[in-house]
Amino acid sequence: MSTASIFRILLLHFSLSTVLAAHSQPLTPPYLSPNTIHPNYQNMFNSFKIFIYNSNSTFPFISPSQSLFYTRLQDSHFPTENPEKAHLFFVPFPSDLPPRSVSRLIRSLRTELPYWNRTLGADHFYLSCTGIGFESDRNLVELKKNSVQISCFPTPAGKFIPHKDISLPPVPSTPAPTSNTASFLGYAKFDWVKESTLVKELSSDPDFLIESKPSDLNTFADRLGGSKFCLFEYGGGDVSGIGEALRFGCVPVVITDRPIHDLPFSDVLRWQEIALFVGRRGGVVRDLKRVLGRACWERHEKMRKLGVAASRHFMWNETPEPFDSFYTLMYELWLRRHTVRYVRRESPFVV
Ligand SMILES: *[C@@H]1O[C@H](CO)[C@@H](O)[C@H](O)[C@H]1NC(C)=O
Ligand SMILES: *[C@@H]1O[C@H](CO)[C@@H](O)[C@H](O)[C@H]1NC(C)=O
């Protein structure tokens, strides 16, 4: 297993210690489609039906978010035993199933049941934490190209197809936010083993406080609550704390050298107004300071509020609640339910 638990979260408390509290304006919702999301959600909640192949099986999933999604779905009102009523079909298989076995599984669906052939898999979805790669095998090609993949954020490069795939948000580990006390100037959390040039640059900068690990989760929560910006390195770094940063009002700053397609709920949330995206070219720290310095005064409070409002979508509640992680994922699946049904081509000469 990889070093999945490695954290590389950098938190920054900008050295301008006084924050101008923005005066309360009506808060715009953090959604791409603020006028339609609520009626669409209600429609999804009332109508959505999923057919689960081998619905009573349990699977050894490698990530908590996969297991949570699977059990929540099994326990929800969405599954139907009547495939004719289903909008989408779910093909569950264990995380460590070798590609050849996945291919055999798809082949058996294709030959034994009529549903795969109707859309060549386009109304099917599957869970794979690291995503499946492109293979030459026909079954895997159709699964990869047509079916909706739900992978764990961040998905390895090349394993995510933006118009159809979905990423699972990480499961938060910190306690709920209490009051925010900015008791330090800056903070960075990272992993000594995979120390990056960015960390090296920031370590020597007095505006940033960097540590390899907070002593416990409460301390970590305090750091999040007391920081204006939380820095995440995308691609190699650990970005799993991004939902928690939002919850604590710490505006995420995502440092990346390529476009990011797999942000959780990217077809629901206005990420461009919730987080800052900073390119890695040039002097990273100089760019960072320029971007953060500008954002600090003009945009920070608005982004912070939007982020806090968006953070409900990252919660995995004991009893599912509207717009929590589970239901938002279902909503994203609902948005993908319209697929082309291929009709079987009949020979014109058959009488
Ligand atoms: C799954 O289990 C339930 C009861 O636990 C049963 O009613 C149902 O028929 C089972 N479904 C399948 C597909 O085996
Ligand atoms: C689906 O199509 C394939 C040919 O592409 C065929 O071999 C298979 O029997 C079909 N499945 C069903 C259930 O008709």
Side-chain angles (χ1 to χ4, degrees), residues 109-117 120 138 142 344:
L109 299 185
R110 178 203 302 285
T111 52
E112 287 162 26
L113 296 163
Y115 313 112
W116 185 274
N117 276 357
L120 301 180
R138 174 193 173 170
E142 286 182 10
R344 239 180 99 211

Side-chain angles (χ1 to χ4, degrees), residues 52-56 81:
I52 309 179
Y53 292 106
N54 300 318
S55 59
N56 287 354
E81 305 220 328

Side-chain angles (χ1 to χ4, degrees), residues 24 54 125 128 181 225 238 285 297 327 332 351:
S24 47
N54 300 318
F125 69 94
S128 170
T181 46
D238 186 340
V285 171
W297 298 104
Y327 283 123
E332 291 195 290
V351 190

Side-chain angles (χ1 to χ4, degrees), residues 36-223:
T36 54
I37 187 166
H38 289 278
N40 282 350
Y41 179 91
Q42 206 53 48
N43 203 1
M44 177 280 293
F45 190 87
N46 296 337
S47 327
F48 203 9
K49 289 295 166 217
I50 307 278
F51 181 81
I52 309 179
Y53 292 106
N54 300 318
S55 59
N56 287 354
S57 326
T58 53
F59 293 101
F61 288 119
I62 53 170
S63 84
S65 55
Q66 280 181 302
S67 308
L68 279 166
F69 177 79
Y70 184 59
T71 51
R72 292 284 199 279
L73 179 59
Q74 283 177 312
D75 295 344
S76 73
H77 69 284
F78 298 115
T80 175
E81 305 220 328
N82 180 357
E84 297 301 335
K85 290 203 170 145
H87 298 94
L88 292 181
F89 294 75
F90 179 29
V91 191
F93 50 81
S95 298
D96 56 357
L97 196 66
R100 214 176 316 150
S101 309
V102 177
S103 170
R104 268 201 299 274
L105 171 65
I106 300 304
R107 193 179 59 213
S108 71
L109 299 185
R110 178 203 302 285
T111 52
E112 287 162 26
L113 296 163
Y115 313 112
W116 185 274
N117 276 357
R118 292 193 308 196
T119 64
L120 301 180
D123 56 0
H124 285 53
F125 69 94
Y126 63 96
L127 283 173
S128 170
C129 203
T130 52
I132 63 169
F134 287 96
E135 312 261 352
S136 53
D137 173 274
R138 174 193 173 170
N139 299 303
L140 294 174
V141 167
E142 286 182 10
L143 183 71
K144 175 73 190 171
K145 286 189 151 180
N146 299 344
S147 304
V148 177
Q149 170 183 280
I150 306 183
S151 57
C152 304
F153 178 73
T155 313
K159 298 275 188 76
F160 190 90
I161 303 179
H163 71 272
K164 67 171 183 68
D165 291 345
I166 290 174
S167 75
L168 276 171
V171 179
S173 55
T174 47
T178 50
S179 61
N180 293 357
T181 46
S183 52
F184 50 88
L185 285 180
Y187 173 64
K189 178 167 174 282
F190 72 101
D191 166 47
W192 285 109
V193 183
K194 291 181 75 182
E195 188 176 338
S196 66
T197 46
L198 179 71
V199 169
K200 285 187 193 125
E201 283 180 70
L202 296 184
S203 307
S204 57
D205 190 303
D207 287 335
F208 299 79
L209 179 75
I210 295 180
E211 67 182 4
S212 77
K213 272 184 168 58
S215 50
D216 56 37
L217 286 177
N218 285 316
T219 310
F220 182 47
D222 287 346
R223 311 281 210 228

Side-chain angles (χ1 to χ4, degrees), residues 192-321:
W192 285 109
V193 183
K194 291 181 75 182
E195 188 176 338
S196 66
T197 46
L198 179 71
V199 169
K200 285 187 193 125
E201 283 180 70
L202 296 184
S203 307
S204 57
D205 190 303
D207 287 335
F208 299 79
L209 179 75
I210 295 180
E211 67 182 4
S212 77
K213 272 184 168 58
S215 50
D216 56 37
L217 286 177
N218 285 316
T219 310
F220 182 47
D222 287 346
R223 311 281 210 228
L224 290 169
S227 305
K228 290 192 79 176
F229 295 101
C230 290
L231 274 61
F232 299 95
E233 254 190 304
Y234 185 84
D238 186 340
V239 289
S240 66
I242 198 160
E244 279 166 305
L246 294 174
R247 194 157 57 103
F248 283 85
C250 190
V251 173
V253 178
V254 185
I255 294 141
T256 176
D257 51 13
R258 58 185 156 104
I260 304 177
H261 297 298
D262 66 326
L263 283 167
F265 312 127
S266 59
D267 47 7
V268 174
L269 296 175
R270 285 188 289 148
W271 271 106
Q272 293 296 337
E273 292 173 43
I274 292 169
L276 290 172
F277 297 87
V278 181
R280 209 193 290 272
R281 270 161 299 164
V284 172
V285 171
R286 196 183 63 237
D287 271 5
L288 260 185
K289 284 185 151 179
R290 187 174 51 78
V291 172
L292 300 188
R294 218 169 41 204
C296 192
W297 298 104
E298 291 168 21
R299 292 169 66 194
H300 182 271
E301 186 57 15
K302 190 169 173 237
M303 295 182 89
R304 190 186 71 78
K305 284 184 174 168
L306 282 175
V308 171
S311 68
R312 66 190 294 201
H313 300 283
F314 291 79
M315 297 306 298
W316 288 96
N317 298 301
E318 207 58 52
T319 313
E321 284 175 20

